[in-house]
Amino acid sequence: MLLITVTRPDSENILKNMLQACSRKACAVSVFFTGQGVQSLGNHEVLTALTEAAEAVACADSWKEFFENDCPVTSGSQTDHSRLIGEAVQVVSL
């Protein structure tokens, strides 16, 4: 499983393209959003690409820092991030 950790809001295009490539190659992928990276979840194209991910989790504290509405993916914590890293074969940080 590939884990993509998103920390930067300006990595939306790279994230979207990586998710689409993983889908084409039937590569299992999970995504964790933290810090300013949660802002990527405001992008409709990113949300559409995330439908192919095995799991998508956003740091609840980071989400609350930038948004008042409900998070469109699973709301979690750095403990979830640690779990995903433990399950991953490879990790990419954006």
Side-chain angles (χ1 to χ4, degrees):
M1 187 264 292
L2 171 67
L3 171 63
I4 302 172
T5 300
V6 182
T7 64
R8 299 176 49 99
D10 58 352
S11 56
E12 295 168 338
N13 285 334
I14 295 169
L15 173 61
K16 181 182 61 129
N17 290 335
M18 287 183 72
L19 289 169
Q20 291 169 345
C22 287
S23 177
R24 284 191 304 271
K25 294 294 184 179
C27 172
V29 61
S30 292
V31 185
F32 186 83
F33 297 87
T34 190
Q36 293 180 353
V38 298
Q39 294 175 352
S40 298
L41 293 168
N43 182 309
H44 178 70
E45 291 178 354
V46 168
L47 291 176
T48 299
L50 280 173
T51 61
E52 299 296 326
E55 189 171 1
V57 180
C59 174
D61 290 337
S62 297
W63 180 262
K64 289 176 189 174
E65 185 177 335
F66 295 99
F67 298 98
E68 293 183 12
N69 56 323
D70 290 337
C71 185
V73 298
T74 302
S75 184
S77 67
Q78 294 301 322
T79 301
D80 293 294
H81 188 222
S82 296
R83 174 184 56 80
L84 290 169
I85 286 176
E87 295 172 358
V89 174
Q90 297 171 327
V91 178
V92 173
S93 181
L94 301 177

